[in-house]
Amino acid sequence: MGGEGVAGLGYQELRTSLCWVTGGTRPLPFLSWVLPAVPAPAMGLELYLDLLSQPCRAVYIFAKKNSIPFELRTVDLLKGQNHSDDFVQVNPLRKVPALKDGDFTLAESVAILLYLARKYEAPDHWYPQDLQARARVDEYLSWQHTALRTSCTRTMWQKMMFPIFLGQRVPPETLANTLAELDRCLQLLEDKFLKDQDFLAGPHMSVADLVAITELMHRVNVTVRSGLAMVVNGSAEPSAQLLVSSIGVVGTAEENRGHSARFFEFLTKELDLAEDRIMIRFFPLERWQIGKKGTVMTFL
C-alpha cells in the first residue's frame, strides 16, 4: 500500500479498517495513535468546529496532521451555539466550520482547507501545484457538494436524526429513495473518481480524499466502562469493558482481532489493567452501509 495518507493508511486499507476514525464533541484520546503531537498553539488561528460535523472533522484532521497550531473553539450544534451572537460575529452564515486568523474570518470547509494548505505550505500532495493534478482535486471538491454531501446528509437525517433524536417517523418509501440516491453517488465515486486507484485524484492522498473519508466514515462510537466489579476469568479484580460500534467493516474475526490489539495497547497503558481484565465488544454495520466495492458509510 503506497502513498501518503492519514495515519499512513491508503484507501484499500480504509475500506477494511475504521479503527482510527475520529469524532465526538471533543478530540478523542485515541487520536494519539493517529495524529502527531502538536505544540501548544500560538494565539492567532482559531478554528470553530463541532466534530459531529463531517466537514469540521476534515478541517481538524488536516490541521493536526500538518502540525498547524490553532485554538479549538467548540461550537455545539445540538445546543444551537452556531446561532449565538458571538459566533455570528465570526460567521454570519451560522455554520461550522469557521476560521478566524487575526482579523480575518473565513467560512466553508473547502475554502478553509485550501487556505490552511497555502498559508502553512502543506506538502504538495494535499493540493498539488501541477495544473492537471490540482484540477482533479478541484473536480472532486466541486462534485461532492451537490452529490455525495447532499445524499449523505439526507441519509443521516432520515436514518438517524429524525427517528432517533426527534422521534419523527420517516416513510419507508422516502428512506428507500434516499438510499437509492446514496448508492448511485457511491457508485459514481468508485467508477468516476476512485476507479482502481488508491486515492481519488492521483497516486497520493489529497484534500479530496480527506473530504471523502470524513463524509463517508462517521465517527466511531467508543464507550469505555472502567472499574467494573465483576468476575472475569475467575477473578474479581477491577476490569473494563469497551463497546465499539461502526467498526470491523467486513466483519471478519481476524480484522477485529487487529483492532482489538490497538485498543488493548492503549487501555493497558492508560488504565493499568492486564489484557485479561479488558473486554471488547464490536457491533457490526448494516449491509446497506457497505457499498458494492467496500466503500463505507457509518453512523453513530
Side-chain angles (χ1 to χ4, degrees):
M1 186 68 258
E4 297 85 357
V6 174
L9 296 179
Y11 255 99
Q12 303 300 328
E13 292 168 286
L14 289 173
R15 286 168 168 170
T16 57
S17 175
L18 296 180
C19 63
W20 61 271
V21 179
T22 178
T25 56
R26 62 181 185 275
L28 290 173
F30 304 113
L31 283 174
S32 61
W33 299 347
V34 181
L35 304 171
V38 177
M43 293 305 292
L45 180 64
E46 300 171 73
L47 296 178
Y48 292 76
L49 311 172
D50 184 336
L51 296 182
L52 285 175
S53 158
Q54 303 94 304
C56 285
R57 293 199 294 275
V59 170
Y60 181 84
I61 292 173
F62 183 83
K64 286 286 190 177
K65 180 65 178 175
N66 289 284
S67 299
I68 297 173
F70 67 93
E71 187 73 24
L72 175 62
R73 305 295 188 192
T74 299
V75 180
D76 193 328
L77 296 177
L78 296 180
K79 293 181 179 179
Q81 291 179 355
N82 54 309
H83 296 285
S84 68
D85 292 339
D86 289 342
F87 182 72
V88 170
Q89 296 300 313
V90 177
N91 185 9
L93 299 176
R94 304 171 189 264
K95 295 181 178 181
V96 289
L99 172 151
K100 185 176 182 182
D101 192 3
D103 295 329
F104 176 73
T105 59
L106 187 64
E108 296 299 321
S109 59
V110 170
I112 292 171
L113 286 167
L114 300 187
Y115 176 84
L116 294 176
R118 290 163 175 148
K119 174 173 180 176
Y120 293 95
E121 298 181 346
D124 186 70
H125 66 86
W126 287 108
Y127 195 53
Q129 291 296 318
D130 178 80
L131 177 63
Q132 293 186 357
R134 177 171 289 193
R136 286 297 179 208
V137 175
D138 291 335
E139 180 184 37
Y140 178 79
L141 295 176
S142 299
W143 173 79
Q144 61 92 27
H145 269 300
T146 57
L148 192 61
R149 175 90 180 109
T150 300
S151 294
C152 288
T153 299
R154 287 176 179 169
T155 302
M156 181 178 68
W157 275 91
Q158 294 178 18
K159 184 70 177 179
M160 181 183 70
M161 299 300 290
F162 282 131
I164 296 176
F165 286 91
L166 301 178
Q168 298 180 14
R169 179 180 176 274
V170 176
E173 60 274 15
T174 299
L175 179 59
N177 290 336
T178 298
L179 294 178
E181 177 60 21
L182 173 61
D183 188 68
R184 186 187 71 83
C185 287
L186 291 175
Q187 195 65 54
L188 284 173
L189 171 71
E190 295 172 341
D191 294 343
K192 157 65 177 169
F193 296 99
L194 186 56
K195 301 176 184 177
D196 293 323
Q197 306 173 125
D198 293 332
F199 302 101
L200 290 172
H204 306 293
M205 188 167 198
S206 69
V207 291
D209 299 279
L210 183 55
V211 170
I213 289 168
T214 51
E215 188 67 59
L216 292 171
M217 299 166 62
H218 290 234
R219 71 186 183 115
V220 170
N221 186 28
V222 180
T223 302
V224 179
R225 298 174 180 173
S226 59
L228 296 178
M230 61 194 318
V231 176
V232 180
N233 296 329
S235 172
E237 291 294 318
S239 60
Q241 185 180 57
L242 185 68
L243 308 176
V244 187
S245 58
S246 298
I247 197 167
V249 184
V250 292
T252 69
E254 181 179 355
E255 286 162 346
N256 282 347
R257 279 195 295 271
H259 300 319
S260 297
R262 301 293 296 277
F263 285 120
F264 278 132
E265 178 184 350
F266 176 82
L267 292 175
T268 52
K269 177 181 178 181
E270 295 296 320
L271 301 180
D272 195 27
L273 295 175
E275 287 192 7
D276 64 353
R277 309 307 302 162
I278 300 172
M279 295 157 288
I280 300 181
R281 295 181 59 193
F282 294 95
F283 296 89
L285 299 174
E286 298 180 35
R287 292 187 63 184
W288 67 267
Q289 292 174 288
I290 304 175
K292 291 182 176 65
K293 297 183 181 179
T295 308
V296 174
M297 161 169 279
T298 67
F299 294 104
L300 300 176

